[in-house]
Amino acid sequence: MAQSLELLLIQFLMPDNDARRQAEDQIKRLAKDPQVVPALVQHMRTAKTPNVRQLAAVLLRKKITGHWAKLSPQLKQLVKQSLIETITVEHSPPVRKASANVVSIVAKYAVPSGEWPDLLPFLFQCSQSAQEDHREVALILFSSLTETIGNAFRPYFADLQALLLKCLQDETSNRVRVAALKAVGSFLEFTHDGDEVIKFREFIPSILNVSRQCLASGEEDVAIIAFEIFDELIESPAPLLGDSVKSIVQFSLEVCSSQNLECNTRHQAIQIISWLAKYKSSTLKKHKLITPILQVLCPLLAESTNENEDDDLAPDRAAAEVIDTMALNIPKHVFQPVFEFASVSCQNANPKFREASVTALGVISEGCLELMKSKLEPVLHIVLGALRDPEQMVRGAASFALGQFAEHLQPEIVSHYESVLPCILNALEDASDEVKEKSYYALAAFCENMGEDILPFLDPLMGRLLTALQNSSRVLQETCMSAIGSIASAAEQAFIPYAERVLELMKSFMVLTNDEDLRSRARATELVGIVAMSVGRVRMEPILPPYIEAAISGFGLEFSELREYTHGFFSNVAEILDDSFAQYLPHVVPHAFSSCNLDDGSAVDIDECDDEIANGFGGVSSDDEAHDEPRVRNISIRTGVLDEKAAATQALGLFAQHTKTSYAPYLEETLRILVKHSGYFHEDVRLQAIIALKHTLTAAHAIFQIQNEGAAKAKEILDTVMNIFIKTMVEDDDKEVVAQACTSVADIIRDYGYATLEPYLSQLVDATSLLLREQSACQQIESDSEIDDDDSAHDEVLMDAVSDLLPAFAKSMGAQFAPIFGQLFEPLIKFAKPYRPPQDRTMVVACLAEVAQNMGSPIASYVDILSLVPELVNIFAQVVVSPVETPEVKAVVGRAFSHLISLYGQQMQPLLSNLPPAHANALSAFAQRS
């Protein structure tokens, strides 16, 4: 076999494709025989040309897995000896590397079974060799062996770390230093023990040194390994960085601001800053690194992007994402440096810097929303000025920033409508389609919450939008439709004069069938639903049938976004028609079921590419006997399917809510889907499932009231729903989903009363207590644990929903709530501590005021006046004198205080005497008004 195989290997390397194919077929046939192993070993050692020796090693790596167990002990020994000889005497680096890869595969089977006891001693010996080649190949093997026999290294871990550190500092060989850098990366991926990982902290200076040398010599692909190592260190829960975080940040900033480096290299450096902001934000604060980081990243926003570059890797795009991450994680430290950058750059002669100034403000508006709300006047001055800039790119960025403000700075931004709306109206006339598109987006986000404030602008806005709708490109028409939808939502009945014209225009969009027009059709379908909600049932019901028919036909077109918006359309129609929607259930519910049952379309890319395939050796080595485990490179989800599922899930809940008993044929399948979706991997779908479960419970209650065995079935569904809600409160990691579960539970308590609630009471109280103590899954802090009081990780929306549970309990249980109230009072009252933000104190006051009213007089016989009531009265007094509290909250406090006086009478006098006179007088005045 050896002789014929040698000829085939030579033939395979010929440029003639036919000859190659024939050789490949013959090699595949021969490779089924175990005797191919000694033949390949011989050619790996003795073939005259390096190419043939390399090909023999590549084939051996692929074939030996299937044949190893069938080899005699003598042949196994021959293979091991030959491999050791090859990697020590071979002069060709590609052959040496290919042979090292074979060692890694053989070791996977031979080392755990004790068949190769001298391998590790040999490698340690090699790594100490005076020959550069030997040291390098030993490190290459240490890297690859961690993937196959990593556990065998555990007894030698301390020795290995010392060896790697020594090789990182090798004074004579750059190749050895690079191989050591790669080996450190491999070991870090394998090591999960905190004590072992923490020892890598002392490697950081040497890693930085090797990486700088690699960058200087143009080996950027090797330097990137340093960032992969830092990535591992940052994500580890152990405190691995210490003071070295300063040098890591300095290096990352040097790299990301070096315009002569590849985009990917700079992107990796920017990503390190992003991970630090996400996982080690307190470390950045401690070492005062936030301002220096922003002083480098903000100017990157002004960097020109080469149009041929991958957008996601472009430095300006990557910098924007990191600034966004920093704003979300450390807002109080981000706003001022970004605002200062924007204030200076908005006057720069270079339009790229003027663009960057408003882009930066738009990017931080979500994370820094509270600080931006307090500085809206100067922030808007910069952005509205940029909207009048002579350069299109600056006006486009200003439109983007306004859209972000409109989305995130509600409701404060709306109070500036007199200065903002005229500027947006102006921008709608811009010569640039890009500026127009972003202005429609800003207009849509801005108008949504304006309410009646929009009325003076209604006519000029609708005049321009209706004209644009008929005379613009498809992209502009789509954003224009979004803006009209927001205006209709805000104007409500005042939109009636424009409704007929808008609906008439939508007819032509809702029959489009070309692929490139389906997004416009989706937007039109959405808009008809929104207009219908604003105009109301009386005007819409007679004219709805053709729109409903067009919407149903849209389900037949293969376009996820159209299906998503069509589910939203039918959700709105169900709300308008209420029980009259039952006639459409057979036409729309099956489509909603189909969307809910769609495959998620998650795509897993398997990475089997290596140097051998790149060198043209892939064909012969990819047959059925190759058992190497592939590496998962990337997992991606088709987000369109997620949005469609969320919309369909929402629709099912609304169909059930509005058609009640008519929904009976679909109840069982709907519940099956909602139970499944309540545990879905993406929070948007889980959120809609939690909302829909409450609506479906309402329908089930109506359905089973009129059935003989209804009570048992209704109880079974209630058990299912309540168990999901309680589990969500405790275990779900998304605050919005948990808040919705709390709201749904509070609604159920109010709707069904104490008797229905009693079986779940103990679990509900435990879950509520856990949330008040900020110990549920969604309240676990993901980043490092040094959290300041002012960066408290609780969420206002979540805690408002949790605090709503207590008044609901009190209302349904009356006096029986007393012992539970005592249990929950202590964790609740901590939200009223002086260091807590004002919204927390408001939440506590509103909650306690409602509880006091709902529990009734029996509270007097339970509540410990000396502990609870004085603290309550003190908080009430602070609220009524506070300049930031709303009149509504103060009125609630007044009513609650009056209730306490009715319960305790004269016992309240000493408590009032202990208050500052101004507080006592203000509280008494509010109590009298109530």
Side-chain angles (χ1 to χ4, degrees):
M1 178 188 284
Q3 192 175 1
S4 61
L5 185 59
E6 182 176 14
L7 293 172
L8 289 171
L9 294 175
I10 293 167
Q11 184 179 334
F12 180 81
L13 294 170
M14 288 179 177
D16 185 324
N17 284 337
D18 289 337
R20 281 188 63 154
R21 265 195 297 274
Q22 287 171 12
E24 184 177 342
D25 292 341
Q26 292 283 358
I27 290 169
K28 280 185 176 178
R29 187 176 55 75
L30 290 174
K32 298 184 187 303
D33 184 346
Q35 288 307 306
V36 78
V37 172
L40 287 170
V41 167
Q42 180 185 335
H43 296 308
M44 178 184 72
R45 292 175 60 198
T46 63
K48 291 185 179 66
T49 63
N51 265 6
V52 175
R53 297 199 299 276
Q54 184 187 3
L55 178 55
V58 168
L59 287 169
L60 186 59
R61 180 175 82 85
K62 291 289 184 182
K63 302 305 166 191
I64 202 158
T65 300
H67 293 315
W68 182 255
K70 304 168 197 166
L71 299 181
S72 66
Q74 293 81 5
L75 265 181
K76 286 180 178 178
Q77 190 60 29
L78 170 71
V79 171
K80 290 182 290 186
Q81 282 176 346
S82 301
L83 287 168
I84 295 291
E85 284 174 24
T86 302
I87 60 176
T88 48
V89 302
E90 175 62 61
H91 295 297
S92 164
V95 179
R96 208 165 45 242
K97 187 180 177 189
S99 305
N101 287 338
V102 184
V103 171
S104 185
I105 296 298
V106 172
K108 183 178 181 179
Y109 303 99
V111 171
S113 61
E115 294 179 275
W116 206 349
D118 48 352
L119 175 62
L120 293 185
F122 162 73
L123 289 179
F124 274 106
Q125 182 188 339
C126 240
S127 64
Q128 312 285 340
S129 168
Q131 286 191 47
E132 178 187 37
D133 290 348
H134 291 177
R135 299 199 303 280
E136 181 188 28
V137 81
L139 290 164
I140 289 170
L141 272 165
F142 279 132
S143 290
S144 60
L145 287 170
T146 52
E147 295 178 21
T148 53
I149 56 162
N151 285 325
F153 290 136
R154 290 213 178 276
Y156 312 100
F157 212 84
D159 295 336
L160 261 173
Q161 283 191 313
L163 168 69
L164 291 173
L165 187 55
K166 181 183 174 187
C167 291
L168 269 176
Q169 297 164 348
D170 193 301
E171 292 179 3
T172 60
S173 170
N174 185 52
R175 277 168 40 205
V176 171
R177 292 193 297 270
V178 167
L181 183 65
K182 292 177 178 176
V184 170
S186 297
F187 273 94
L188 258 177
E189 277 187 41
F190 170 74
T191 309
H192 301 294
D193 180 88
D195 293 335
E196 289 176 351
V197 176
I198 206 162
K199 291 173 187 167
F200 281 101
R201 185 191 280 185
E202 62 191 89
F203 284 49
I204 291 172
S206 299
I207 290 169
L208 289 169
N209 192 33
V210 175
S211 296
R212 281 195 168 96
Q213 289 166 357
C214 289
L215 288 175
S217 62
E219 296 175 274
E220 292 185 34
D221 57 328
V222 180
I224 282 174
I225 295 167
F227 294 121
E228 291 167 3
I229 292 169
F230 298 148
D231 192 354
E232 291 282 332
L233 294 175
I234 290 165
E235 288 195 49
S236 168
L240 298 178
L241 300 177
D243 288 346
S244 60
V245 72
K246 286 190 278 191
S247 48
I248 290 174
V249 167
Q250 184 185 348
F251 176 62
S252 299
L253 293 177
E254 284 171 22
V255 172
C256 71
S257 56
S258 297
Q259 294 191 27
N260 59 322
L261 296 175
E262 291 287 331
C263 256
N264 183 44
T265 307
R266 299 175 70 192
H267 187 267
Q268 296 282 345
I270 294 173
Q271 206 57 49
I272 290 300
I273 305 291
S274 181
W275 291 134
L276 284 167
K278 193 169 185 180
Y279 295 109
K280 306 287 178 185
S281 56
S282 291
T283 307
L284 293 180
K285 284 188 277 189
K286 179 181 171 185
H287 293 283
K288 297 184 169 51
L289 292 167
I290 296 163
T291 299
I293 288 170
L294 289 168
Q295 284 170 344
V296 171
L297 291 185
C298 286
L300 283 185
L301 296 174
E303 194 170 304
S304 295
T305 304
N306 184 331
E307 288 187 11
N308 297 324
E309 286 170 2
D310 182 339
D311 270 354
D312 291 335
L313 298 180
D316 55 344
R317 172 76 65 89
E321 287 177 8
V322 179
I323 294 168
D324 181 30
T325 301
M326 292 177 74
L328 290 166
N329 287 280
I330 29 182
K332 292 187 178 174
H333 302 266
V334 168
F335 175 72
Q336 197 55 39
V338 172
F339 180 63
E340 287 170 10
F341 167 80
S343 301
V344 173
S345 298
C346 69
Q347 300 169 53
N348 197 302
N350 183 341
K352 286 296 291 180
F353 273 88
R354 300 201 300 278
E355 177 191 30
S357 73
V358 280
T359 299
L361 291 172
V363 162
I364 66 167
S365 60
E366 182 180 5
C368 300
L369 75 167
E370 294 302 334
L371 288 155
M372 289 190 83
K373 285 175 180 181
S374 67
K375 298 265 190 183
L376 250 181
E377 201 77 51
V379 166
L380 278 174
H381 178 74
I382 294 171
V383 174
L384 296 180
L387 207 54
R388 297 186 294 272
D389 196 277
E391 292 288 341
Q392 173 198 319
M393 68 173 79
V394 182
R395 299 196 304 276
S399 302
F400 158 78
L402 265 186
Q404 292 294 293
F405 294 173
E407 193 172 333
H408 301 300
L409 305 184
Q410 297 284 356
E412 286 79 357
I413 185 77
V414 172
S415 64
H416 294 266
Y417 68 86
E418 288 174 333
S419 59
V420 174
L421 263 187
C423 290
I424 297 179
L425 268 166
N426 235 16
L428 296 180
E429 302 290 321
D430 200 278
S432 155
D433 275 3
E434 184 195 350
V435 175
K436 281 182 188 170
E437 185 185 347
K438 289 176 178 172
S439 300
Y440 287 133
Y441 158 66
L443 183 66
F446 193 83
C447 294
E448 202 164 354
N449 296 302
M450 277 188 71
E452 60 186 24
D453 287 337
I454 202 169
L455 300 184
F457 299 92
L458 203 50
D459 214 45
L461 276 173
M462 286 307 299
R464 291 190 192 183
L465 290 172
L466 286 169
T467 303
L469 201 52
Q470 296 167 81
N471 303 317
S472 302
S473 66
R474 280 281 186 254
V475 172
L476 282 181
Q477 286 174 328
E478 289 159 21
T479 48
C480 184
M481 287 184 225
S482 292
I484 293 172
S486 293
I487 291 167
S489 295
E492 295 183 345
Q493 292 285 299
F495 192 77
I496 288 171
Y498 311 97
E500 186 179 344
R501 182 83 186 102
V502 170
L503 291 170
E504 192 59 38
L505 285 169
M506 290 306 101
K507 281 182 181 175
S508 59
F509 286 100
M510 286 185 71
V511 294
L512 298 172
T513 55
N514 291 336
D515 288 352
E516 64 272 20
D517 295 329
L518 293 183
R519 185 168 276 108
S520 298
R521 178 170 177 161
R523 292 285 178 195
T525 305
E526 176 193 40
L527 180 53
V528 172
I530 293 168
V531 170
M533 288 285 284
S534 297
V535 170
R537 180 172 180 171
V538 174
R539 282 185 166 81
M540 283 305 298
E541 192 167 12
I543 61 170
L544 263 176
Y547 296 100
I548 288 173
E549 189 179 328
I552 291 171
S553 72
F555 280 125
L557 301 168
E558 281 303 308
F559 190 56
S560 183
E561 192 174 342
L562 177 57
R563 292 195 297 269
E564 174 200 341
Y565 283 99
T566 305
H567 291 311
F569 166 81
F570 281 115
S571 295
N572 286 345
V573 172
E575 285 201 52
I576 297 162
L577 298 184
D578 205 40
D579 54 354
S580 295
F581 187 74
Q583 61 185 305
Y584 298 111
L585 290 176
H587 304 286
V588 297
V589 173
H591 291 296
F593 285 165
S594 295
S595 293
C596 286
N597 292 323
L598 272 174
D599 173 54
D600 298 321
S602 39
V604 181
D605 296 335
I606 303 299
D607 188 1
E608 294 186 271
C609 180
D610 54 24
D611 292 343
E612 300 140 15
I613 293 173
N615 289 335
F617 302 150
V620 292
S621 53
S622 56
D623 61 23
D624 295 336
E625 291 178 27
H627 298 301
D628 291 359
E629 292 179 12
R631 182 167 61 89
V632 174
R633 184 176 72 238
N634 184 37
I635 297 177
S636 62
I637 304 295
R638 279 160 42 209
T639 54
V641 173
L642 291 181
D643 295 337
E644 182 182 340
K645 279 194 176 201
T649 306
Q650 178 188 42
L652 291 177
L654 290 167
F655 297 163
Q657 180 192 12
H658 291 286
T659 61
K660 296 187 176 62
T661 53
S662 301
Y663 199 72
Y666 313 101
L667 187 66
E668 188 178 337
E669 175 65 4
T670 297
L671 279 167
R672 185 194 67 76
I673 287 169
L674 296 182
V675 169
K676 181 180 164 191
H677 282 186
S678 68
Y680 197 73
F681 77 91
H682 198 279
E683 62 275 12
D684 289 355
V685 176
R686 294 201 306 276
L687 177 66
Q688 294 306 332
I690 295 298
I691 297 169
L693 275 167
K694 168 64 178 65
H695 294 327
T696 308
L697 180 65
T698 304
H701 192 72
I703 290 163
F704 293 126
Q705 269 184 336
I706 55 174
Q707 292 186 6
N708 291 336
E709 298 171 8
K713 288 181 180 174
K715 175 70 170 66
E716 187 183 324
I717 291 173
L718 181 66
D719 282 344
T720 300
V721 172
M722 288 301 293
N723 287 332
I724 287 171
F725 287 165
I726 293 165
K727 184 180 181 191
T728 299
M729 289 166 69
V730 175
E731 296 179 15
D732 200 292
D733 61 4
D734 185 82
K735 289 178 179 177
E736 194 179 353
V737 176
V738 175
Q740 186 56 56
C742 294
T743 300
S744 295
V745 168
D747 288 342
I748 290 170
I749 295 168
R750 293 187 196 98
D751 292 349
Y752 297 95
Y754 178 51
T756 307
L757 161 76
E758 196 171 11
Y760 319 101
L761 189 61
S762 172
Q763 289 173 279
L764 277 174
V765 171
D766 288 347
T768 306
S769 176
L770 195 73
L771 284 159
L772 286 172
R773 294 178 196 280
E774 299 182 279
Q775 293 171 352
S776 75
C778 73
Q779 294 161 311
Q780 299 311 302
I781 298 161
E782 291 176 10
S783 56
D784 45 356
S785 56
E786 304 166 46
I787 297 297
D788 303 335
D789 282 336
D790 64 355
D791 281 333
S792 173
H794 96 279
D795 182 276
E796 186 183 347
V797 174
L798 171 65
M799 295 318 299
D800 279 350
V802 174
S803 65
D804 281 348
L805 286 164
L806 277 70
F809 282 134
K811 188 153 186 129
S812 70
M813 296 175 69
Q816 295 174 79
F817 182 55
I820 294 170
F821 180 55
Q823 196 180 325
L824 299 175
F825 183 82
E826 182 214 335
L828 175 70
I829 209 72
K830 81 173 189 300
F831 287 96
K833 299 291 183 195
Y835 63 81
R836 286 288 188 173
Q839 59 266 31
D840 281 8
R841 301 163 71 76
T842 301
M843 177 263 290
V844 172
V845 168
C847 174
L848 292 178
E850 285 191 69
V851 168
Q853 287 179 283
N854 289 342
M855 277 183 72
S857 57
I859 193 173
S861 62
Y862 166 74
V863 174
D864 177 358
I865 293 175
L866 294 177
S867 64
L868 299 192
V869 175
E871 194 163 4
L872 192 54
V873 170
N874 191 33
I875 293 169
F876 282 6
Q878 289 175 38
V879 169
V880 294
V881 297
S882 168
V884 297
E885 295 294 357
T886 63
E888 291 80 9
V889 171
K890 291 181 181 181
V892 171
V893 167
R895 288 195 296 275
F897 186 65
S898 297
H899 184 66
L900 288 175
I901 291 172
S902 72
L903 294 178
Y904 299 117
Q906 291 306 310
Q907 296 177 72
M908 297 293 289
Q909 197 53 49
L911 300 179
L912 285 170
S913 303
N914 289 334
L915 294 172
H919 287 204
N921 293 338
L923 195 52
S924 299
F926 265 93
Q928 286 162 18
R929 282 184 225 165
S930 303

